[in-house]
Amino acid sequence: MDWRLIPEERIGGPTAMALDEVAAEAVAEGGPATVRLYRWTPSTVSLGYGNDADIVDWRYCAEHAIDVTRRQTGGGAIYHDGFGDVAYSIVAPASEFPGDVTECYRQLLKPVFEAFEAVGTEVGFADAESGTLWGPLCYLLGLDPAHDLVGPDGRKIAGNAQYRTSEAIVQHGSLTFESDPAAHLGPFVDPPVSTAEFADRVCGLTDITAGTLDRSTFVDRLTDALAGWADAERGSWSDSERERAEELVAEKYGHDRWVRSRTDPTG
């Protein structure tokens, strides 16, 4: 199986989700599997597939230049900070990985754990489920030992999600470099959770390392870990893939029919 690595790129939320779908289409057509990193630019709210769009404070997002899109994956909504969030995707043939979801997460998260270890941080799977603080938000849902990662004090530091097509598996995740509770809660309508309660549930790498780690170093370690795990060659998107992503942004991931109403105009 051939893999390509696409180093961290600054892209808008709708484009980020469109490129996951493009990479899955490439796999289905016999093209390379993909590992990639991206930086949400501008900061973005991604709704989970089943989220009600009414939880978004649309005026706040417009005033603060925050994009809003909807993921193909389930789970709760996430505010992806342009600096504080480090995002990755792994897109590969579904036949190459276990059908059991938990075991599949275990395999695909190996390079993520390697990256955390490389910067000297103790991160592991949540060892038990926990209570939900506010159901609409991913980071305030109860911890799931299958795919939620926590720091040494048990606070959530990363969320991961998967979806499958008949030929491909897509896993993407948000790793918190720096947590900003007020910024995370701001884009949502009347969250019944204080910033202190959010901070008690969520941490970032800057909390664990007392601010001694810079973002670029962590991104470099994650890039190395993903490339080594997949034995991937550094690559890029083809012109046709970028064109296809632009189509998907216009027709789906940036369109109100999908974002607000969960109606897929391409399906």
Side-chain angles (χ1 to χ4, degrees):
M1 178 169 49
D2 293 329
W3 289 83
R4 64 177 169 180
L5 164 74
I6 298 180
E8 187 181 58
E9 52 188 344
R10 291 174 179 258
I11 49 179
T15 300
M17 297 299 93
L19 287 170
D20 274 350
E21 188 165 339
V22 167
E25 291 174 350
V27 165
E29 295 167 359
T34 298
V35 290
R36 69 184 185 106
L37 294 91
Y38 52 99
R39 185 167 178 173
W40 303 84
T41 307
S43 299
T44 300
V45 169
S46 74
L47 294 167
Y49 179 79
N51 271 134
D52 189 331
D54 288 346
I55 68 170
V56 176
D57 186 333
W58 295 92
R59 176 178 293 181
Y60 178 97
C61 289
E63 291 174 349
H64 291 79
I66 296 170
D67 273 358
V68 183
T69 189
R70 185 181 294 274
R71 307 187 306 273
Q72 295 253 64
T73 50
I78 306 174
Y79 167 72
H80 304 278
D81 184 82
F83 175 80
D85 187 297
V86 177
Y88 78 92
S89 292
I90 300 173
V91 185
S95 59
E96 297 291 328
F97 292 92
D100 178 80
V101 173
T102 299
E103 180 56 32
C104 190
Y105 274 120
R106 294 302 192 263
Q107 289 195 21
L108 294 177
L109 281 168
K110 285 181 180 178
V112 174
F113 282 122
E114 288 177 12
F116 281 123
E117 184 177 356
V119 295
T121 55
E122 182 183 341
V123 172
F125 285 106
D127 58 10
E129 295 184 4
S130 64
T132 293
L133 295 180
W134 192 40
L137 263 61
C138 173
Y139 278 82
L140 299 180
L141 286 166
L143 293 173
D144 189 329
H147 53 74
D148 285 333
L149 309 186
V150 298
D153 61 1
R155 289 186 292 168
K156 185 171 179 176
I157 194 169
N160 303 275
Q162 292 181 7
Y163 73 89
R164 290 176 183 250
T165 67
S166 57
E167 298 90 2
I169 182 168
V170 177
Q171 176 166 304
H172 53 201
S174 292
L175 318 180
T176 306
F177 178 74
E178 182 174 276
S179 178
D180 185 338
H184 201 115
L185 295 173
F188 302 101
V189 176
D190 297 329
V193 176
S194 69
T195 55
E197 289 171 319
F198 188 95
D200 284 342
R201 171 60 65 89
V202 180
C203 71
L205 277 168
T206 55
D207 297 312
I208 299 174
T209 62
T212 60
L213 177 68
D214 61 74
R215 188 183 186 280
S216 61
T217 297
F218 178 63
V219 169
D220 287 346
R221 298 294 80 76
L222 181 58
T223 302
D224 292 344
L226 287 166
W229 172 81
D231 192 21
E233 296 289 336
R234 187 171 290 243
S236 61
W237 303 107
S238 68
D239 290 342
S240 62
E241 286 176 321
R242 291 190 181 279
E243 290 172 5
R244 173 61 176 151
E246 289 175 2
E247 291 176 1
L248 286 169
V249 169
E251 297 173 2
K252 183 176 180 180
Y253 294 103
H255 199 291
D256 277 356
R257 284 176 300 186
W258 171 253
V259 178
R260 294 186 185 242
S261 305
R262 205 180 62 190
T263 300
D264 185 351
T266 68

